[in-house]
Amino acid sequence: MSSRLWFRVEDVLPLAEHALACPTHRLTRAQLAAGEHNTAALTLRRAGSEGQLGSNGVPVWHTPRGDEQVAYGGAWRPVGGAVSEPDQHLYLPLRHLDPDGRQLIDVLRAGRAFDRTWLAVDTDTAPGRTLGAGCVELFDHRADIVATGTRWRPAMVTSPQTGGRDYPALVADGYDAGDDGWLICRFDPHTVRQMVEDLAGPWRAGTMPGEYPLLRFDGTTVVLFEETDSADGIRFGVDDRCYPDRDGYCSIGVYRWLWQTSPTGSMPTRTRLRLHLAALSGRFRERSATDRPLRKIPAVGDRGSV
């Protein structure tokens, strides 16, 4: 299982600002274990492949339903995998300086300013230690999509974000993106181009702003935009970026869109064969890289035979 949990910066930053704005702060189990002073911080509870970040500020921030406001994050997980690991409780002070002189709150604010939409928190730490700015990273895309060595299978998939259109994809076999069973998909360049064209079609004129995402190419990178209807017109904000992998495939909407197996779509035989070959090629490349023996470097002064 990955030691990193992935969160959206847009979900985490308001919690951090809440903690800083509150006059007092709660004592937490992780804070007591680390012997830290009572200060503005984020609290992280990890259970298996899932995590929740919250604010330690008082008064507590509640949702309209009366639940505590938290940011949900996670990592890839085996399909149907049960939580077997004990809960991990971690403490992330917002104003502590890391060895490079950075504060966690400044890192989060920089993420918003520079369109770094993903926050990766490395939870691989000894009990009783705090997590500072050095334990988090900002990305403009979601990495750690699946475990190394994952097998992929062809399938026709669909999503509400595509207006119910069906697309051929390689789906991670044995892994999903959460409790709702979201599929983890990769799409070939032809399908990606088709998806870009479909989501920019004339049918959008009859939809509400923000009802569907919009895709655009930035070189070989696919940028996912979200519409916002503001007082001064329609604005487009970067929601995610998808970079092609070694096979040229892009994981469009991974961990963002609800990809499901299409109940009606049928895949042409030629497309299924092409996707099968791409999956086999990737497995062969990974196996070759693993099995290749390391080249022995001769010691200084040694001469090979002529």
Side-chain angles (χ1 to χ4, degrees):
M1 181 179 297
S2 175
S3 65
R4 294 200 293 188
L5 293 177
W6 291 82
F7 297 86
R8 296 287 294 181
V9 173
E10 63 187 353
D11 297 333
V12 177
L13 183 56
L15 293 168
E17 299 289 5
H18 170 266
L20 289 172
C22 287
T24 58
H25 303 89
R26 291 177 291 170
L27 291 174
T28 66
R29 181 189 308 181
Q31 175 193 346
L32 293 174
E36 289 287 348
H37 296 293
N38 195 12
T39 184
L42 295 175
T43 61
L44 172 59
R45 177 187 176 187
R46 174 168 187 164
S49 62
E50 300 176 356
Q52 297 179 14
L53 277 171
S55 163
N56 72 339
V58 178
V60 178
W61 183 0
H62 290 97
T63 67
R65 298 178 58 182
D67 302 319
E68 182 179 349
Q69 183 75 39
V70 296
Y72 294 95
W76 44 261
R77 67 162 203 173
V79 172
V83 176
S84 58
E85 297 83 358
D87 284 4
Q88 214 177 346
H89 294 268
L90 300 167
Y91 186 69
L92 294 81
L94 293 167
R95 289 296 191 188
H96 281 26
L97 296 176
D98 72 353
D100 296 325
R102 301 181 307 165
Q103 296 178 334
L104 179 56
I105 183 59
D106 294 332
V107 172
L108 294 173
R109 289 169 176 169
R112 178 184 59 184
F114 294 103
D115 288 332
R116 298 295 188 264
T117 52
W118 288 98
L119 175 74
V121 182
D122 190 350
T123 63
D124 186 14
T125 184
R129 294 190 59 186
T130 59
L131 297 183
C135 296
V136 304
E137 291 184 87
L138 293 171
F139 294 87
D140 63 355
H141 66 289
R142 170 66 187 258
D144 290 344
I145 294 175
V146 289
T148 303
T150 297
R151 296 189 177 189
W152 300 85
R153 57 179 175 83
M156 290 296 291
V157 299
T158 186
S159 169
Q161 281 80 2
T162 66
R165 293 170 176 80
D166 301 329
Y167 297 99
L170 283 176
V171 175
D173 193 9
Y175 293 94
D176 61 27
D179 288 334
D180 295 323
W182 298 8
L183 299 177
I184 302 173
C185 305
R186 298 164 56 213
F187 302 92
D188 63 26
H190 172 76
T191 303
V192 172
R193 289 192 295 270
Q194 184 64 52
M195 204 179 300
V196 171
E197 294 178 6
D198 289 346
L199 288 175
W203 61 274
R204 291 184 67 94
T207 64
M208 297 292 292
E211 188 174 354
Y212 296 98
L214 192 66
L215 304 182
R216 287 290 184 267
F217 280 107
D218 182 7
T220 59
T221 304
V222 182
V223 185
L224 284 65
F225 289 95
E226 291 288 345
E227 289 180 292
T228 303
D229 190 1
S230 60
D232 53 352
I234 304 298
R235 293 187 177 183
F236 293 90
V238 176
D239 182 73
D240 205 356
R241 290 178 180 269
C242 298
Y243 294 90
D245 58 22
R246 292 185 60 179
D247 297 317
Y249 284 49
C250 283
S251 298
I252 303 295
V254 65
Y255 292 92
R256 294 292 290 160
W257 296 4
L258 178 56
W259 287 114
Q260 298 173 317
T261 302
S262 172
T264 57
S266 60
M267 186 182 300
T269 303
R270 180 176 297 181
T271 301
R272 183 176 295 276
L273 178 61
R274 176 165 48 82
L275 293 178
H276 263 304
L277 291 175
L280 289 174
S281 175
R283 285 179 57 194
F284 178 77
R285 183 170 56 245
E286 286 185 357
R287 182 172 298 179
S288 299
T290 302
D291 296 341
R292 185 181 299 119
L294 294 176
R295 181 181 178 185
K296 184 179 178 180
I297 301 175
V300 177
D302 287 354
R303 295 185 179 182
S305 58
V306 178

mmCIF file of all heavy atoms in Angstrom, residues 270-296:
data_model
loop_
_atom_site.group_PDB
_atom_site.id
_atom_site.type_symbol
_atom_site.label_atom_id
_atom_site.label_comp_id
_atom_site.label_asym_id
_atom_site.label_seq_id
_atom_site.Cartn_x
_atom_site.Cartn_y
_atom_site.Cartn_z
ATOM 1 N N ARG A 270 -11.224 -5.064 -33.095
ATOM 2 C CA ARG A 270 -9.902 -4.497 -33.386
ATOM 3 C C ARG A 270 -9.431 -3.608 -32.244
ATOM 4 O O ARG A 270 -8.254 -3.653 -31.856
ATOM 5 C CB ARG A 270 -9.960 -3.687 -34.683
ATOM 6 C CG ARG A 270 -8.628 -3.053 -35.067
ATOM 7 C CD ARG A 270 -8.711 -2.346 -36.415
ATOM 8 N NE ARG A 270 -9.016 -3.290 -37.480
ATOM 9 C CZ ARG A 270 -9.126 -2.949 -38.765
ATOM 10 N NH1 ARG A 270 -8.963 -1.672 -39.123
ATOM 11 N NH2 ARG A 270 -9.397 -3.856 -39.681
ATOM 12 N N THR A 271 -10.327 -2.830 -31.658
ATOM 13 C CA THR A 271 -9.955 -1.969 -30.530
ATOM 14 C C THR A 271 -9.574 -2.809 -29.318
ATOM 15 O O THR A 271 -8.593 -2.519 -28.632
ATOM 16 C CB THR A 271 -11.123 -1.040 -30.173
ATOM 17 O OG1 THR A 271 -11.457 -0.241 -31.307
ATOM 18 C CG2 THR A 271 -10.756 -0.130 -29.013
ATOM 19 N N ARG A 272 -10.340 -3.859 -29.044
ATOM 20 C CA ARG A 272 -10.032 -4.725 -27.896
ATOM 21 C C ARG A 272 -8.663 -5.372 -28.061
ATOM 22 O O ARG A 272 -7.888 -5.461 -27.102
ATOM 23 C CB ARG A 272 -11.114 -5.787 -27.745
ATOM 24 C CG ARG A 272 -10.928 -6.691 -26.527
ATOM 25 C CD ARG A 272 -12.091 -7.656 -26.401
ATOM 26 N NE ARG A 272 -13.332 -6.943 -26.137
ATOM 27 C CZ ARG A 272 -13.716 -6.575 -24.928
ATOM 28 N NH1 ARG A 272 -12.952 -6.846 -23.865
ATOM 29 N NH2 ARG A 272 -14.862 -5.934 -24.752
ATOM 30 N N LEU A 273 -8.356 -5.831 -29.278
ATOM 31 C CA LEU A 273 -7.057 -6.459 -29.530
ATOM 32 C C LEU A 273 -5.926 -5.455 -29.349
ATOM 33 O O LEU A 273 -4.883 -5.770 -28.750
ATOM 34 C CB LEU A 273 -7.036 -7.040 -30.941
ATOM 35 C CG LEU A 273 -5.723 -7.700 -31.386
ATOM 36 C CD1 LEU A 273 -5.377 -8.869 -30.475
ATOM 37 C CD2 LEU A 273 -5.831 -8.154 -32.848
ATOM 38 N N ARG A 274 -6.135 -4.232 -29.828
ATOM 39 C CA ARG A 274 -5.097 -3.201 -29.681
ATOM 40 C C ARG A 274 -4.845 -2.881 -28.213
ATOM 41 O O ARG A 274 -3.693 -2.721 -27.786
ATOM 42 C CB ARG A 274 -5.527 -1.945 -30.447
ATOM 43 C CG ARG A 274 -4.587 -0.757 -30.295
ATOM 44 C CD ARG A 274 -4.876 0.294 -31.350
ATOM 45 N NE ARG A 274 -6.284 0.594 -31.448
ATOM 46 C CZ ARG A 274 -6.934 1.436 -30.637
ATOM 47 N NH1 ARG A 274 -6.260 2.031 -29.646
ATOM 48 N NH2 ARG A 274 -8.212 1.695 -30.800
ATOM 49 N N LEU A 275 -5.889 -2.782 -27.419
ATOM 50 C CA LEU A 275 -5.726 -2.498 -25.997
ATOM 51 C C LEU A 275 -5.058 -3.672 -25.280
ATOM 52 O O LEU A 275 -4.220 -3.478 -24.382
ATOM 53 C CB LEU A 275 -7.078 -2.186 -25.360
ATOM 54 C CG LEU A 275 -7.756 -0.891 -25.816
ATOM 55 C CD1 LEU A 275 -9.113 -0.734 -25.149
ATOM 56 C CD2 LEU A 275 -6.881 0.319 -25.507
ATOM 57 N N HIS A 276 -5.407 -4.895 -25.662
ATOM 58 C CA HIS A 276 -4.757 -6.070 -25.078
ATOM 59 C C HIS A 276 -3.255 -6.031 -25.357
ATOM 60 O O HIS A 276 -2.436 -6.296 -24.463
ATOM 61 C CB HIS A 276 -5.356 -7.347 -25.660
ATOM 62 C CG HIS A 276 -6.415 -7.964 -24.810
ATOM 63 N ND1 HIS A 276 -6.210 -8.317 -23.492
ATOM 64 C CD2 HIS A 276 -7.708 -8.298 -25.091
ATOM 65 C CE1 HIS A 276 -7.313 -8.846 -22.990
ATOM 66 N NE2 HIS A 276 -8.241 -8.836 -23.943
ATOM 67 N N LEU A 277 -2.886 -5.712 -26.577
ATOM 68 C CA LEU A 277 -1.467 -5.670 -26.935
ATOM 69 C C LEU A 277 -0.739 -4.575 -26.164
ATOM 70 O O LEU A 277 0.414 -4.760 -25.749
ATOM 71 C CB LEU A 277 -1.321 -5.456 -28.445
ATOM 72 C CG LEU A 277 -1.764 -6.632 -29.332
ATOM 73 C CD1 LEU A 277 -1.680 -6.246 -30.805
ATOM 74 C CD2 LEU A 277 -0.909 -7.855 -29.052
ATOM 75 N N ALA A 278 -1.396 -3.433 -25.975
ATOM 76 C CA ALA A 278 -0.767 -2.349 -25.202
ATOM 77 C C ALA A 278 -0.555 -2.776 -23.758
ATOM 78 O O ALA A 278 0.492 -2.488 -23.155
ATOM 79 C CB ALA A 278 -1.633 -1.093 -25.262
ATOM 80 N N ALA A 279 -1.529 -3.471 -23.165
ATOM 81 C CA ALA A 279 -1.387 -3.935 -21.783
ATOM 82 C C ALA A 279 -0.269 -4.963 -21.675
ATOM 83 O O ALA A 279 0.536 -4.920 -20.735
ATOM 84 C CB ALA A 279 -2.705 -4.529 -21.300
ATOM 85 N N LEU A 280 -0.192 -5.905 -22.638
ATOM 86 C CA LEU A 280 0.868 -6.914 -22.611
ATOM 87 C C LEU A 280 2.236 -6.285 -22.803
ATOM 88 O O LEU A 280 3.220 -6.699 -22.177
ATOM 89 C CB LEU A 280 0.604 -7.957 -23.699
ATOM 90 C CG LEU A 280 -0.573 -8.904 -23.453
ATOM 91 C CD1 LEU A 280 -0.815 -9.777 -24.674
ATOM 92 C CD2 LEU A 280 -0.329 -9.759 -22.223
ATOM 93 N N SER A 281 2.321 -5.285 -23.665
ATOM 94 C CA SER A 281 3.590 -4.602 -23.881
ATOM 95 C C SER A 281 4.077 -3.920 -22.614
ATOM 96 O O SER A 281 5.266 -3.971 -22.272
ATOM 97 C CB SER A 281 3.434 -3.575 -25.012
ATOM 98 O OG SER A 281 4.612 -2.821 -25.181
ATOM 99 N N GLY A 282 3.165 -3.274 -21.882
ATOM 100 C CA GLY A 282 3.554 -2.626 -20.635
ATOM 101 C C GLY A 282 4.015 -3.626 -19.596
ATOM 102 O O GLY A 282 4.995 -3.396 -18.875
ATOM 103 N N ARG A 283 3.335 -4.783 -19.491
ATOM 104 C CA ARG A 283 3.756 -5.813 -18.539
ATOM 105 C C ARG A 283 5.122 -6.369 -18.895
ATOM 106 O O ARG A 283 5.966 -6.604 -18.025
ATOM 107 C CB ARG A 283 2.723 -6.947 -18.526
ATOM 108 C CG ARG A 283 1.429 -6.620 -17.804
ATOM 109 C CD ARG A 283 0.482 -7.789 -17.862
ATOM 110 N NE ARG A 283 1.093 -8.990 -17.307
ATOM 111 C CZ ARG A 283 0.597 -10.219 -17.470
ATOM 112 N NH1 ARG A 283 -0.510 -10.383 -18.188
ATOM 113 N NH2 ARG A 283 1.183 -11.248 -16.918
ATOM 114 N N PHE A 284 5.360 -6.602 -20.194
ATOM 115 C CA PHE A 284 6.654 -7.130 -20.619
ATOM 116 C C PHE A 284 7.772 -6.142 -20.315
ATOM 117 O O PHE A 284 8.852 -6.524 -19.863
ATOM 118 C CB PHE A 284 6.610 -7.431 -22.114
ATOM 119 C CG PHE A 284 7.913 -7.933 -22.663
ATOM 120 C CD1 PHE A 284 8.326 -9.243 -22.443
ATOM 121 C CD2 PHE A 284 8.743 -7.080 -23.387
ATOM 122 C CE1 PHE A 284 9.530 -9.702 -22.947
ATOM 123 C CE2 PHE A 284 9.953 -7.534 -23.895
ATOM 124 C CZ PHE A 284 10.351 -8.849 -23.672
ATOM 125 N N ARG A 285 7.499 -4.846 -20.516
ATOM 126 C CA ARG A 285 8.522 -3.841 -20.249
ATOM 127 C C ARG A 285 8.843 -3.783 -18.757
ATOM 128 O O ARG A 285 10.014 -3.698 -18.361
ATOM 129 C CB ARG A 285 8.051 -2.481 -20.744
ATOM 130 C CG ARG A 285 9.090 -1.382 -20.583
ATOM 131 C CD ARG A 285 8.689 -0.107 -21.295
ATOM 132 N NE ARG A 285 7.387 0.358 -20.855
ATOM 133 C CZ ARG A 285 6.308 0.422 -21.632
ATOM 134 N NH1 ARG A 285 6.377 0.010 -22.888
ATOM 135 N NH2 ARG A 285 5.153 0.866 -21.163
ATOM 136 N N GLU A 286 7.809 -3.837 -17.910
ATOM 137 C CA GLU A 286 8.051 -3.812 -16.471
ATOM 138 C C GLU A 286 8.817 -5.050 -16.013
ATOM 139 O O GLU A 286 9.727 -4.962 -15.194
ATOM 140 C CB GLU A 286 6.716 -3.718 -15.718
ATOM 141 C CG GLU A 286 6.059 -2.358 -15.788
ATOM 142 C CD GLU A 286 4.809 -2.305 -14.928
ATOM 143 O OE1 GLU A 286 4.443 -3.345 -14.343
ATOM 144 O OE2 GLU A 286 4.194 -1.219 -14.849
ATOM 145 N N ARG A 287 8.443 -6.216 -16.549
ATOM 146 C CA ARG A 287 9.123 -7.444 -16.152
ATOM 147 C C ARG A 287 10.578 -7.440 -16.617
ATOM 148 O O ARG A 287 11.473 -7.879 -15.891
ATOM 149 C CB ARG A 287 8.391 -8.653 -16.726
ATOM 150 C CG ARG A 287 8.996 -9.990 -16.331
ATOM 151 C CD ARG A 287 8.114 -11.127 -16.762
ATOM 152 N NE ARG A 287 6.811 -11.072 -16.105
ATOM 153 C CZ ARG A 287 5.838 -11.958 -16.343
ATOM 154 N NH1 ARG A 287 6.018 -12.941 -17.216
ATOM 155 N NH2 ARG A 287 4.687 -11.855 -15.694
ATOM 156 N N SER A 288 10.826 -6.924 -17.813
ATOM 157 C CA SER A 288 12.194 -6.865 -18.318
ATOM 158 C C SER A 288 13.049 -5.945 -17.465
ATOM 159 O O SER A 288 14.204 -6.228 -17.178
ATOM 160 C CB SER A 288 12.199 -6.383 -19.775
ATOM 161 O OG SER A 288 11.477 -7.274 -20.604
ATOM 162 N N ALA A 289 12.451 -4.808 -17.027
ATOM 163 C CA ALA A 289 13.208 -3.875 -16.198
ATOM 164 C C ALA A 289 13.513 -4.483 -14.833
ATOM 165 O O ALA A 289 14.564 -4.228 -14.243
ATOM 166 C CB ALA A 289 12.421 -2.571 -16.027
ATOM 167 N N THR A 290 12.595 -5.336 -14.325
ATOM 168 C CA THR A 290 12.802 -5.963 -13.020
ATOM 169 C C THR A 290 13.828 -7.095 -13.095
ATOM 170 O O THR A 290 14.672 -7.254 -12.211
ATOM 171 C CB THR A 290 11.478 -6.512 -12.476
ATOM 172 O OG1 THR A 290 10.536 -5.446 -12.387
ATOM 173 C CG2 THR A 290 11.667 -7.115 -11.088
ATOM 174 N N ASP A 291 13.769 -7.879 -14.176
ATOM 175 C CA ASP A 291 14.629 -9.054 -14.300
ATOM 176 C C ASP A 291 16.018 -8.737 -14.836
ATOM 177 O O ASP A 291 16.915 -9.563 -14.749
ATOM 178 C CB ASP A 291 13.981 -10.091 -15.225
ATOM 179 C CG ASP A 291 12.677 -10.612 -14.644
ATOM 180 O OD1 ASP A 291 12.486 -10.456 -13.424
ATOM 181 O OD2 ASP A 291 11.865 -11.157 -15.415
ATOM 182 N N ARG A 292 16.206 -7.546 -15.394
ATOM 183 C CA ARG A 292 17.498 -7.230 -16.000
ATOM 184 C C ARG A 292 18.573 -7.155 -14.918
ATOM 185 O O ARG A 292 18.445 -6.375 -13.973
ATOM 186 C CB ARG A 292 17.424 -5.900 -16.747
ATOM 187 C CG ARG A 292 18.708 -5.561 -17.515
ATOM 188 C CD ARG A 292 18.572 -4.212 -18.214
ATOM 189 N NE ARG A 292 17.486 -4.241 -19.180
ATOM 190 C CZ ARG A 292 16.424 -3.458 -19.117
ATOM 191 N NH1 ARG A 292 16.278 -2.612 -18.122
ATOM 192 N NH2 ARG A 292 15.481 -3.535 -20.035
ATOM 193 N N PRO A 293 19.652 -7.935 -15.022
ATOM 194 C CA PRO A 293 20.700 -7.888 -13.994
ATOM 195 C C PRO A 293 21.461 -6.579 -14.033
ATOM 196 O O PRO A 293 21.595 -5.949 -15.091
ATOM 197 C CB PRO A 293 21.607 -9.066 -14.360
ATOM 198 C CG PRO A 293 21.387 -9.253 -15.836
ATOM 199 C CD PRO A 293 19.950 -8.895 -16.093
ATOM 200 N N LEU A 294 21.890 -6.157 -12.860
ATOM 201 C CA LEU A 294 22.666 -4.934 -12.790
ATOM 202 C C LEU A 294 24.036 -5.150 -13.419
ATOM 203 O O LEU A 294 24.676 -6.188 -13.212
ATOM 204 C CB LEU A 294 22.824 -4.494 -11.323
ATOM 205 C CG LEU A 294 21.543 -4.085 -10.613
ATOM 206 C CD1 LEU A 294 21.843 -3.763 -9.153
ATOM 207 C CD2 LEU A 294 20.900 -2.899 -11.296
ATOM 208 N N ARG A 295 24.506 -4.218 -14.159
ATOM 209 C CA ARG A 295 25.806 -4.303 -14.810
ATOM 210 C C ARG A 295 26.899 -4.048 -13.779
ATOM 211 O O ARG A 295 26.874 -3.058 -13.060
ATOM 212 C CB ARG A 295 25.903 -3.287 -15.939
ATOM 213 C CG ARG A 295 27.234 -3.340 -16.682
ATOM 214 C CD ARG A 295 27.263 -2.285 -17.769
ATOM 215 N NE ARG A 295 28.542 -2.292 -18.459
ATOM 216 C CZ ARG A 295 28.892 -1.414 -19.401
ATOM 217 N NH1 ARG A 295 28.004 -0.478 -19.759
ATOM 218 N NH2 ARG A 295 30.061 -1.467 -19.973
ATOM 219 N N LYS A 296 27.853 -4.964 -13.719
ATOM 220 C CA LYS A 296 28.947 -4.829 -12.768
ATOM 221 C C LYS A 296 29.935 -3.805 -13.268
ATOM 222 O O LYS A 296 30.414 -3.847 -14.392
ATOM 223 C CB LYS A 296 29.658 -6.162 -12.559
ATOM 224 C CG LYS A 296 30.748 -6.109 -11.515
ATOM 225 C CD LYS A 296 31.407 -7.443 -11.328
ATOM 226 C CE LYS A 296 32.537 -7.373 -10.297
ATOM 227 N NZ LYS A 296 33.190 -8.695 -10.111
#
